[in-house]
Amino acid sequence: MEPDVSIETSAMIRVAVLPIGHIPTPLLRDYTSMLLRHDAVSLSAISSFYTEHQKSPFAHQPWDSGSLRFKFVIGGSPPSPWEDFQSNRKILAVVGICHCPSSPDLDDVIEQFGVKCKGCASALVRRCFAFCPSDTQLEDGSKKDSNFKLFPPADRQTQEFHLQTMMQDIAASLLMEFEKWVLQAESAGTILKTPLDSQANFNSEELIKAKKRRLGRAQKTIGDYCLLAGSPVDANAHYSTALELARLTGDYFWYAGALEGSVCALLLDRMGHMDPELVDEVKYRYSSVILHYRKSSIQDNAQRVSPLSFELEATLKLARFLCRRDLAKDVAELLTSAADGAKSLIDASDRLILFVEIARLYGKINYQRKAAFFSRQVAQLYLQQENRLAALSAMQVLAMTTKAYRVQSRASVSEHTLDDDVGQGSANGGKVLHQSIVSLFECQWSTLQMVVLREILLSAVRAGDPLAAWSAAARLLRSYYPLITPVGQNGLANALANSAERLPSGTRCADPALPFIRLYSFPLLSSQVDIVKRNPSREDWWMGSASSGPFIYTPFSKGDQNDSGKQEVIWIVGEPVHVLVELANPCGFDLRVDSIYLSVHSGNVDPFPVSVNLPPNSSKVITLSGIPASVGQVTIPGCMVHCYGVVTEHLFRDVENLLLGAAQGLVLSDPFRCCGSAKLRNVSVPNISVVPQLPLLVPHIIGGDGAIILYEGEIRDVWISLSNAGTVPVEQAHISLSGKNQDSVVSVAYEAIRGSLPLKPGAEVTLPVTLKAWQLALVDPDNAGKSGSGITGRHHKDGNSPMLVIHYAGPLTNSGDPTANGSAVTPGRRLVVPLPVCVLQGLSFVKARLLSMEIPAHVSESSPIPAFGDCNSTKEALSSECKLERLVKIDPFRGSWGLRFLELELSNPTDVVFEISVLVQLENPIADNNNAIDHDAVEYSCPKTRIDRDYSARVLIPLEHFKLPVLDDSFFLRDTHSNGVSTSRSSSFSEKNAKAELNASIEKLISKIKVKWHSGRNSSGELNIKDTVQKALQESVMDVLLPDPLTFGFRLVRDGSSDAAGRDMPTLSMIQVEKTASKGSMMANEVTPMEVLVRNNTKETIRMCLSITCRDVAGENCTEGANATVLWSGVLNGITMEVPPLKETKHSFSLYFLVPGEYTLVAASVIEDANDILRARAKADSPDEPICCRGPPFHVCVIGTA
Amino acid sequence: MATTACFIIVSRNDIPIYEAEVGSAVKREDVAHLHQFILHAAQDIVQDLAWTTSAMFLKAIDRFNDLVVSVYVTAGHTRLMLLHDSRNDDGIKSFFQEVHELYIKIILNPLYLPGSRITSSHFDTKVRALARKYL
């Protein structure tokens, strides 16, 4: 069988092209390609070379339209035994090609050519073309053989023209030779034999038969020559005769041959006029051809040589003729029947040719899978011949099938077709439609793919192509590892290793092998070197692009994010970057990745390779790093992997698609899941851009970076040094606080950093920060007992510590790069310095209580030291010692009642001793009036209380100084609200208001009290007493704060001057009683004139009914009853008085004590026509209730003898 | 029962979603591969032929050596392909029809993703039983 046959083959003159002497392959290819262009020489062109020696047998030669066709056989071919049967099988001309510079001796060339021509006995014309001769050769050669043609060196066009002329010459010579042959055959006749009838010569009967047949056969052969001479009409005439004769003699084989020739003549005659009738005619005649060939093969069944190949060739010729998409069905039928014939073909190379042709024809009608099937059959036939060249052919044929079986090497795939669509899909929606995923895995016949790949591997190994073998093994292992047994996997690994040994190091392959690599995460920059986009139009530039709303997520911003695509990452020139990738080795052998690094297509990042060992069935997350080298966008589609001696690129997208397919059940297995790695959402590669260098602040806490261990409430200064480790100065910096417990940072020296700007590279600035330890939550008491070092780590993790956030930036514009876009402002940076505060439990409150006690005042005639802030006694106000005295020691003569104490119970669970001091800060209400006092607050402090470890102690804080001076309207309003008896406003509003007011007043009160502590280790701090005190005060704050509407006081009257003093009395909750010379004691049996002073603390006049009682130690009324021991003058009961607002009224009376001893004087009054304010203060329930006001008891000491 | 029979369901995306060697011959791996190769190649013919007829059963549409490919194309263009060496058209037709019913039941499963592999062992058992019955 012959390859590439078609109906027109019968009309082609076979020309052998033989290289003479040594010719470099590219040159030979060049020369032959010039020659091959002349496969048809028109008859009109050769007429000048043609001389008619005798009358031409080709009477109907179409000189104007016809042509001679050539079929060039490069290297020649051995003579076919069938060449008598089909003249086109004969080699009718020989063209030698010689490259003169490599064969200097032309005589030698001519000799060689002569030898080679002997192999082609049938050749009618011989020519040898010598290209590029030297001048001497040119002189020599022109004298030599006429068949030896020299092509003088010239440009290509000239050479081509020269060659064309030579071909026309050859064509004319051939035509003349054909004429000669035909004339000879017609006259003398020839003996034409085929292998079919070679043995028949001995049989006489056969001999007679053969004689009969000879004529028909001669006619057929003449027809063949007519066809070759380009005269279809003549050919047809001869063929008709031949058909007739062959039919008569039953020479079916020759009949079929003549019929075939007649079809070819028909086609040549109607060249260019294809119509359906012609197609039908050809189809009809050719089916008859096939039928007759079959008939002949049945007839000659017994013979050794079968004409089957002619039948198959005829089938292929018809198929090629019909080979159009719309006749695909006919073609497929023909090819199927041709394929059936393959079994009967004895010669393996015939079968090979048959399958090649079938595959080509199927490919032509776009039956790619059929073509692939037969290609694979071809490859198997090649593989059966155990030699290297056949294996190479097998490999190449299999490579052609990979497209149909979807196992292409990536090198041969034109990418960006399917992959890009899907890539975009996933980028846009994040969720790829199921359909498009399916389309990714279309036509995945895994069984077939594995077989094909295995065959490619086998053929590549046999052919000695290590790269192809590596690629096939890699594809096989990567795609089908779940279907391969561990032994097989090992085998493939060995194949990879063996191939790699034969490859030069650093070989690249388009097909990745193992491991599977997916993007694990793109670690954002650490908080130490975070990058913030700069908004140059704003003062607070770091706020620029962040969403300004209070919400972390806003539905409005979502659209924007989608438009901008993915997350954005900024890298900085010269600063190392990291990317986490996960590797998986799902196979059963140890995988050693010699080096893996990021594949940066944009080329502006220098990646660092690392090497990894992956045990069987394992996955590993590794960090890949690199250093950005230049400014611009960075694209990282995958990793470069050097594994098994070959460098491959592993794209993240492939694995993503694979995982998607695995999720949909389309792929066999997910390599990561089978390695036990958790399911991970798809991480897409963000948009990465590299920006020029930025300043880099490195923080350092002076005194060690360890945790700062503080007791609750402790105050300490910390120094943070910031140094610029970058290469660009810091020009802007701003410090803010974030994180939990922000209020624990008392102060930050903002000006320290501001003052040192710009901070040059290498410069350092120290930033003092004052910290106050916060209160530990009650829920983690286990922290208390532990040592500091143990807690440190935990506290960092808890993130309880506050953080200093420093936004800083370099110069606004990048002066170094003039091409940089003006709008692109170099970003700033954010440095987060966590203050590693570790708070230990310090003193703790057990409880706070409000204690009240009544201490009766002694009645005296002199005015004691005023409670506080007396404007007349400035020296007292300045003398703090005095005040300190008074705070803790209650002077009974000062006159005190209703004293309230805040008792704080503190315990010390720590292992150090604490000393507590209470400071009370008091406002000086008269400070505004009196310029003599320059400080508006006076501090009283109690003596220190020491609390040993594991002990508790109580601290008393007197609250007497907090009474307001006037029970006036405004306070009142507040007061009424707090009692919920609002008169004018709606209750809900007032209640709310009241609560706020109440809290405000409590807070005000608490803020005045400070509990400070010192511990032995030079640490000091303040206790946070707010909450507990607030709780304690909640109930009775009114009583603490508000003065009574009326205050009462008693005083001994000695002379009239005391009146004036009394009028100047301070307005606080105490009425001064003048003390006597004998410290307020009275003599018995003496008339003691006394005064009761009633002060109105309100802003309205109060009418009332005052009564005074005197009791003895037993509490019995001494002024009334049967055995009264005290006599009196004046009125003691039912005194009706009217006190003007904020004024005092006094009522004088005299007492005469009969018995010495201790007496108590109490004044009480019933307020008449009480207004709402008073009612509210008295917490009266009903408006009819009488409002009573009772003064504090006054102590009277009566001395003398009874 | 036929000595050689290879049954494959090919989804409309040309992915084999079910494959079974249902012949009685001793299974050999390379032969099984050849069967699949033949079936794969036959799809080229099916894709043309399916649009020329309204019948679902396309009969024997292709052959290679002694092996014949019969195809049944569902309305959703899922192809049930059988490679066989017997000439029992009626039996093959019944086989296809019953497998089609089974396939419809698989598709009705809301958890089955059309186009993905049929992994139901029940389906497999039933198909093999039908093969024994009809082929």
Side-chain angles (χ1 to χ4, degrees):
Chain A
M1 276 192 76
E2 293 197 335
D4 203 19
V5 286
S6 66
I7 294 178
E8 287 91 347
T9 309
S10 312
M12 286 178 179
I13 304 162
R14 196 161 291 192
V15 180
V17 180
L18 303 172
I20 308 296
H22 171 74
I23 301 177
T25 317
L27 273 174
L28 178 65
R29 203 166 287 159
D30 191 37
Y31 295 146
T32 49
S33 74
M34 275 204 303
L35 196 60
L36 290 184
R37 219 167 293 163
H38 304 285
D39 58 346
V41 176
S42 67
L43 285 172
S44 55
I46 63 172
S47 53
S48 57
F49 299 93
Y50 172 78
T51 46
E52 196 171 19
H53 297 290
Q54 314 160 42
K55 176 142 176 55
S56 169
F58 310 133
H60 305 281
Q61 195 144 37
W63 279 101
D64 46 351
S65 62
S67 60
L68 294 190
R69 290 140 184 272
F70 294 108
K71 183 172 182 174
F72 296 99
V73 183
I74 302 191
S77 63
S80 160
W82 302 94
E83 62 185 23
D84 272 354
F85 175 60
Q86 283 176 337
S87 306
N88 64 304
R89 285 178 190 259
K90 278 183 194 163
I91 289 179
L92 294 169
V94 177
V95 173
I97 291 178
C98 167
H99 182 63
C100 290
S102 57
S103 332
D105 187 359
L106 290 183
D107 290 328
D108 190 31
V109 170
I110 291 168
E111 198 179 314
Q112 275 190 41
F113 179 62
V115 170
K116 286 211 173 182
C117 282
K118 275 182 192 150
C120 310
S122 58
L124 301 172
V125 177
R126 300 180 177 89
R127 293 281 187 284
C128 186
F129 297 155
F131 292 90
C132 303
S134 64
D135 289 348
T136 51
Q137 284 174 328
L138 210 55
E139 273 177 37
D140 279 4
S142 53
K143 298 175 210 154
K144 304 212 169 175
D145 194 353
S146 61
N147 284 340
F148 191 72
K149 303 288 177 190
L150 285 168
F151 281 66
D155 61 3
R156 189 164 174 100
Q157 209 179 346
T158 318
Q159 282 204 338
E160 276 176 8
F161 183 72
H162 196 162
L163 188 64
Q164 191 186 355
T165 317
M166 288 298 150
M167 284 311 295
Q168 286 166 355
D169 176 41
I170 290 177
S173 312
L174 276 171
L175 186 56
M176 290 185 282
E177 292 292 331
F178 290 160
E179 282 174 359
K180 227 184 274 173
W181 194 94
V182 170
L183 286 173
Q184 192 192 344
E186 272 183 335
S187 59
T190 51
I191 296 172
L192 298 161
K193 277 188 200 162
T194 63
L196 280 178
D197 35 29
S198 55
Q199 296 103 333
N201 286 355
F202 304 106
N203 192 322
S204 60
E205 194 188 333
E206 286 292 318
L207 206 66
I208 298 162
K209 207 174 175 187
K211 272 180 188 164
K212 279 186 193 165
R213 287 174 177 180
R214 192 184 295 157
L215 202 56
R217 293 184 180 187
Q219 282 298 318
K220 192 256 172 198
T221 311
I222 294 169
D224 283 350
Y225 276 99
C226 291
L227 267 185
L228 293 176
S231 173
V233 180
D234 290 316
N236 208 16
H238 289 288
Y239 281 136
S240 312
T241 323
L243 282 173
E244 199 68 21
L245 290 169
R247 197 161 50 84
L248 284 172
T249 54
D251 197 359
Y252 296 121
F253 187 63
W254 284 81
Y255 180 87
L259 199 53
E260 223 179 329
S262 74
V263 176
C264 178
L266 178 70
L267 276 182
L268 282 186
D269 198 25
R270 299 268 196 93
M271 191 142 50
H273 303 283
M274 284 289 260
D275 45 35
E277 286 87 47
L278 179 67
V279 172
D280 285 344
E281 176 68 21
V282 170
K283 216 155 71 171
Y284 171 73
R285 287 209 206 168
Y286 245 93
S287 40
S288 160
V289 168
I290 295 164
L291 200 71
H292 279 94
Y293 274 132
R294 191 172 299 157
K295 221 187 244 177
S296 72
S297 65
I298 293 166
Q299 186 187 29
D300 300 317
N301 213 10
Q303 295 179 5
R304 192 172 53 82
V305 185
S306 157
L308 176 67
S309 60
F310 286 92
E311 182 196 334
L312 295 178
E313 261 180 35
T315 313
L316 291 177
K317 280 176 183 172
L318 179 58
R320 175 152 293 152
F321 173 74
L322 296 175
C323 200
R324 288 208 311 271
R325 194 71 185 87
D326 51 336
L327 296 173
K329 198 172 175 234
D330 295 330
V331 176
E333 264 170 24
L334 284 171
L335 293 178
T336 308
S337 62
D340 282 342
K343 276 180 298 179
S344 327
L345 280 175
I346 299 151
D347 190 357
S349 64
D350 277 354
R351 217 178 296 161
L352 194 67
I353 291 168
L354 176 68
F355 282 148
V356 167
E357 291 300 314
I358 291 176
R360 288 176 67 186
L361 289 172
Y362 270 128
K364 252 187 184 165
I365 53 167
N366 210 11
Y367 277 13
Q368 295 302 339
R369 286 168 280 203
K370 274 281 186 192
F373 176 80
F374 284 102
S375 298
R376 184 177 161 267
Q377 297 294 321
V378 170
Q380 282 191 320
L381 288 175
Y382 271 129
L383 282 176
Q384 280 167 13
Q385 316 171 14
E386 307 241 336
N387 66 58
R388 188 171 165 270
L389 282 175
L392 203 63
S393 308
M395 194 182 85
Q396 280 165 353
V397 170
L398 283 171
M400 287 190 283
T401 67
T402 54
K403 188 159 180 277
Y405 291 118
R406 307 274 169 136
V407 285
Q408 293 117 299
S409 163
R410 199 165 296 162
S412 64
V413 185
S414 63
E415 276 187 70
H416 319 296
T417 49
L418 190 68
D419 295 47
D420 257 12
D421 294 345
V422 176
Q424 277 171 6
S426 65
N428 288 340
K431 185 173 180 174
V432 190
L433 287 174
H434 170 237
Q435 269 314 314
S436 62
I437 303 170
V438 167
S439 71
L440 267 182
F441 301 100
E442 208 161 66
C443 301
Q444 296 281 0
W445 288 57
S446 49
T447 322
L448 308 191
Q449 290 168 333
M450 276 174 68
V451 171
V452 170
L453 282 175
R454 210 177 291 153
E455 280 168 3
I456 292 177
L457 175 61
L458 182 69
S459 57
V461 167
R462 236 186 248 176
D465 184 342
L467 187 58
W470 199 96
S471 157
R475 276 178 276 168
L476 197 52
L477 196 54
R478 188 177 172 87
S479 308
Y480 308 104
Y481 68 88
L483 300 177
I484 305 173
T485 56
V487 180
Q489 291 176 355
N490 260 322
L492 286 173
N494 288 338
L496 285 173
N498 290 340
S499 306
E501 273 173 23
R502 302 169 59 190
L503 284 169
S505 66
T507 306
R508 285 178 181 251
C509 181
D511 302 298
L514 294 174
F516 290 90
I517 302 176
R518 68 172 164 186
L519 201 56
Y520 187 75
S521 72
F522 244 85
L524 298 174
L525 288 170
S526 75
S527 57
Q528 303 275 311
V529 290
D530 207 358
I531 294 172
V532 186
K533 275 204 176 157
R534 186 141 60 148
N535 185 357
S537 58
R538 288 178 63 167
E539 180 72 14
D540 45 352
W541 46 265
W542 55 91
M543 298 295 284
S545 52
S547 64
S548 51
F551 306 109
I552 295 169
Y553 169 83
T554 59
F556 305 108
S557 66
K558 189 155 188 279
D560 295 342
Q561 281 167 3
N562 256 0
D563 287 345
S564 64
K566 313 171 217 173
Q567 145 200 33
E568 301 227 343
V569 168
I570 296 174
W571 286 353
I572 297 155
V573 171
E575 288 184 21
V577 292
H578 305 284
V579 176
L580 293 182
V581 295
E582 188 173 14
L583 312 182
N585 169 22
C587 294
F589 50 83
D590 268 320
L591 181 67
R592 171 158 179 80
V593 180
D594 294 324
S595 75
I596 173 170
Y597 54 93
L598 293 175
S599 145
V600 185
H601 281 190
S602 46
N604 50 354
V605 174
D606 300 330
F608 301 143
V610 291
S611 71
V612 192
N613 261 325
L614 286 167
N617 293 314
S618 69
S619 66
K620 204 180 255 185
V621 177
I622 61 165
T623 306
L624 297 179
S625 46
I627 288 189
S630 62
V631 177
Q633 291 290 315
V634 179
T635 48
I636 301 183
C639 290
M640 298 303 290
V641 172
H642 185 234
C643 185
Y644 287 115
V646 171
V647 181
T648 51
E649 182 171 25
H650 293 235
L651 298 178
F652 296 135
R653 198 173 56 202
D654 291 345
V655 175
E656 264 172 43
N657 291 341
L658 186 70
L659 297 185
L660 273 176
Q664 301 279 359
L666 297 166
V667 188
L668 301 156
S669 144
D670 176 344
F672 288 92
R673 196 177 306 173
C674 75
C675 288
S677 172
K679 194 171 155 56
L680 189 77
R681 68 180 182 84
N682 275 336
V683 182
S684 58
V685 181
N687 292 331
I688 307 166
S689 51
V690 177
V691 298
Q693 278 143 334
L694 296 182
L696 176 64
L697 284 183
V698 177
H700 166 65
I701 295 175
I702 293 175
D705 284 332
I708 305 163
I709 299 166
L710 299 175
Y711 287 103
E712 285 173 299
E714 185 170 342
I715 296 169
R716 193 183 285 182
D717 281 343
V718 174
W719 288 270
I720 297 168
S721 88
L722 299 168
S723 53
N724 185 359
T727 54
V728 177
V730 178
E731 298 211 334
Q732 295 179 10
H734 179 270
I735 302 176
S736 54
L737 292 173
S738 80
K740 289 181 177 174
N741 298 310
Q742 285 185 27
D743 50 353
S744 67
V745 178
V746 178
S747 73
V748 180
Y750 298 104
E751 57 287 337
I753 192 163
R754 223 165 280 155
S756 62
L757 292 177
L759 198 62
K760 291 271 187 304
E764 194 172 293
V765 63
T766 307
L767 192 70
V769 175
T770 310
L771 292 176
K772 180 185 172 192
W774 60 88
Q775 210 69 24
L776 279 182
L778 293 173
V779 287
D780 52 348
D782 55 335
N783 279 359
K786 294 196 177 166
S787 64
S789 61
I791 300 165
T792 315
R794 255 175 66 182
H795 269 259
H796 275 288
K797 263 182 248 158
D798 291 350
N800 277 331
S801 302
M803 289 178 283
L804 280 186
V805 181
I806 304 174
H807 289 93
Y808 61 97
L812 198 64
T813 49
N814 182 15
S815 54
D817 189 2
T819 57
N821 191 357
S823 64
V825 180
T826 55
R829 282 198 133 152
R830 175 173 50 211
L831 167 67
V832 177
V833 187
L835 297 169
V837 178
C838 171
V839 178
L840 296 182
Q841 196 181 14
L843 284 183
S844 63
F845 276 103
V846 178
K847 62 182 166 190
R849 275 193 300 179
L850 202 60
L851 303 175
S852 66
M853 58 171 82
E854 281 194 339
I855 302 168
H858 284 240
V859 177
S860 63
E861 50 190 46
S862 72
S863 169
I865 307 151
F868 75 92
D870 190 341
C871 53
N872 292 331
S873 49
T874 52
K875 62 174 185 282
E876 308 250 315
L878 292 168
S879 143
S880 58
E881 263 182 48
C882 259
K883 283 166 189 163
L884 188 131
E885 286 277 302
R886 268 175 291 139
L887 261 173
V888 274
K889 290 180 185 163
I890 289 162
D891 181 2
F893 296 102
R894 205 179 52 190
S896 168
W897 71 89
L899 196 58
R900 284 165 198 274
F901 292 94
L902 187 62
E903 186 202 62
L904 304 175
E905 191 175 342
L906 304 167
S907 79
N908 178 6
T910 64
D911 46 5
V912 289
V913 176
F914 282 94
E915 282 190 339
I916 305 295
S917 57
V918 178
L919 286 170
V920 178
Q921 210 170 36
L922 293 178
E923 280 178 75
N924 190 343
I926 322 169
D928 295 336
N929 305 338
N930 193 343
N931 295 333
I933 302 168
D934 52 0
H935 57 286
D936 55 355
V938 186
E939 285 195 347
Y940 294 85
S941 59
C942 307
K944 287 176 179 168
T945 312
R946 183 187 149 98
I947 311 177
D948 283 334
R949 44 181 293 197
D950 294 335
Y951 277 90
S952 33
R954 295 179 186 186
V955 179
L956 285 180
I957 305 169
L959 293 180
E960 58 181 307
H961 299 285
F962 298 105
K963 287 259 194 232
L964 296 165
V966 184
L967 185 68
D968 95 338
D969 231 354
S970 60
F971 291 113
F972 242 154
L973 204 58
R974 179 161 79 197
D975 185 28
T976 46
H977 288 172
S978 67
N979 284 310
V981 195
S982 168
T983 51
S984 56
R985 300 183 192 182
S986 71
S987 65
S988 68
F989 172 75
S990 63
E991 256 171 50
K992 209 188 278 173
N993 203 16
K995 218 167 228 173
E997 292 277 2
L998 182 67
N999 285 339
S1001 60
I1002 293 172
E1003 244 160 64
K1004 201 172 159 196
L1005 175 62
I1006 293 165
S1007 68
K1008 288 178 186 167
I1009 304 167
K1010 283 196 171 133
V1011 182
K1012 295 199 168 175
W1013 55 262
H1014 290 270
S1015 179
R1017 301 184 310 167
N1018 280 341
S1019 53
S1020 64
E1022 217 177 281
L1023 282 183
N1024 187 1
I1025 56 169
K1026 222 175 204 171
D1027 295 339
T1028 30
V1029 173
Q1030 192 156 10
K1031 211 163 133 195
L1033 288 180
Q1034 202 84 42
E1035 293 301 310
S1036 46
V1037 68
M1038 280 306 123
D1039 296 334
V1040 174
L1041 279 179
L1042 290 177
D1044 290 324
L1046 294 171
T1047 46
F1048 303 92
F1050 292 92
R1051 127 176 116 166
L1052 303 176
V1053 182
R1054 289 288 149 89
D1055 47 40
S1057 68
S1058 64
D1059 283 0
R1063 216 165 285 129
D1064 286 335
M1065 290 280 154
T1067 53
L1068 225 100
S1069 62
M1070 243 175 279
I1071 288 291
Q1072 282 84 37
V1073 177
E1074 287 182 25
K1075 63 177 176 192
T1076 57
S1078 57
K1079 263 292 191 193
S1081 56
M1082 288 176 245
M1083 297 304 290
N1085 301 322
E1086 246 178 52
V1087 174
T1088 315
M1090 295 180 84
E1091 275 178 346
V1092 59
L1093 295 159
V1094 182
R1095 184 184 157 81
N1096 182 358
N1097 286 328
T1098 68
K1099 285 186 169 171
E1100 273 159 62
T1101 309
I1102 295 177
R1103 286 194 302 117
M1104 61 181 170
C1105 180
L1106 176 76
S1107 47
I1108 298 157
T1109 48
C1110 182
R1111 297 175 196 276
D1112 60 12
V1113 278
E1116 299 208 348
N1117 199 336
C1118 320
T1119 50
E1120 283 168 13
N1123 43 0
T1125 54
V1126 179
L1127 305 177
W1128 77 93
S1129 68
V1131 194
L1132 285 190
N1133 282 323
I1135 314 150
T1136 308
M1137 293 176 80
E1138 195 161 305
V1139 191
L1142 299 176
K1143 289 279 158 61
E1144 298 183 322
T1145 309
K1146 53 188 171 186
H1147 168 73
S1148 301
F1149 60 95
S1150 299
L1151 290 181
Y1152 183 91
F1153 293 96
L1154 296 174
V1155 182
E1158 301 266 317
Y1159 292 89
T1160 306
L1161 285 173
V1162 176
S1165 63
V1166 175
I1167 298 170
E1168 293 170 3
D1169 303 332
N1171 58 10
D1172 288 336
I1173 298 167
L1174 292 175
R1175 279 181 197 287
R1177 179 71 185 91
K1179 296 176 183 166
D1181 289 334
S1182 65
D1184 304 331
E1185 207 178 316
I1187 304 297
C1188 285
C1189 228
R1190 195 182 75 95
F1194 276 75
H1195 213 68
V1196 178
C1197 186
V1198 180
I1199 54 171
T1201 51
Chain B
M1 188 161 176
T3 48
T4 305
C6 176
F7 177 62
I8 275 191
I9 301 181
V10 181
S11 79
R12 53 173 304 195
N13 301 99
D14 289 352
I15 305 172
I17 54 174
Y18 174 80
E19 35 198 275
E21 284 285 338
V22 289
S24 58
V26 182
K27 287 175 184 69
R28 277 172 54 212
E29 203 182 351
D30 52 337
V31 171
H33 292 161
L34 179 66
H35 293 169
Q36 288 216 12
F37 272 107
I38 295 169
L39 288 170
H40 179 259
Q43 284 184 83
D44 272 329
I45 293 174
V46 178
Q47 82 183 9
D48 280 356
L49 210 59
W51 302 103
T52 60
T53 171
S54 60
M56 285 185 170
F57 181 48
L58 301 184
K59 303 196 175 133
I61 53 126
D62 193 17
R63 63 179 200 279
F64 182 74
N65 296 346
D66 305 326
L67 302 167
V68 183
V69 179
S70 292
V71 178
Y72 182 94
V73 183
T74 69
H77 217 73
T78 300
R79 280 143 287 171
L80 315 183
M81 304 178 81
L82 183 74
L83 184 78
H84 55 97
D85 54 2
S86 62
R87 296 266 174 194
N88 177 11
D89 253 7
D90 291 340
I92 289 168
K93 189 175 184 182
S94 315
F95 172 75
F96 276 142
Q97 279 166 345
E98 298 221 7
V99 173
H100 188 198
E101 269 183 44
L102 288 176
Y103 176 66
I104 287 169
K105 283 177 189 163
I106 287 282
I107 282 193
L108 287 175
N109 180 352
L111 301 179
Y112 172 75
L113 194 71
S116 64
R117 271 173 193 278
I118 299 174
T119 50
S120 160
S121 58
H122 180 246
F123 181 80
D124 188 58
T125 324
K126 285 279 188 107
V127 167
R128 284 173 193 281
L130 286 174
R132 270 195 296 279
K133 185 175 168 192
Y134 289 113
L135 302 182

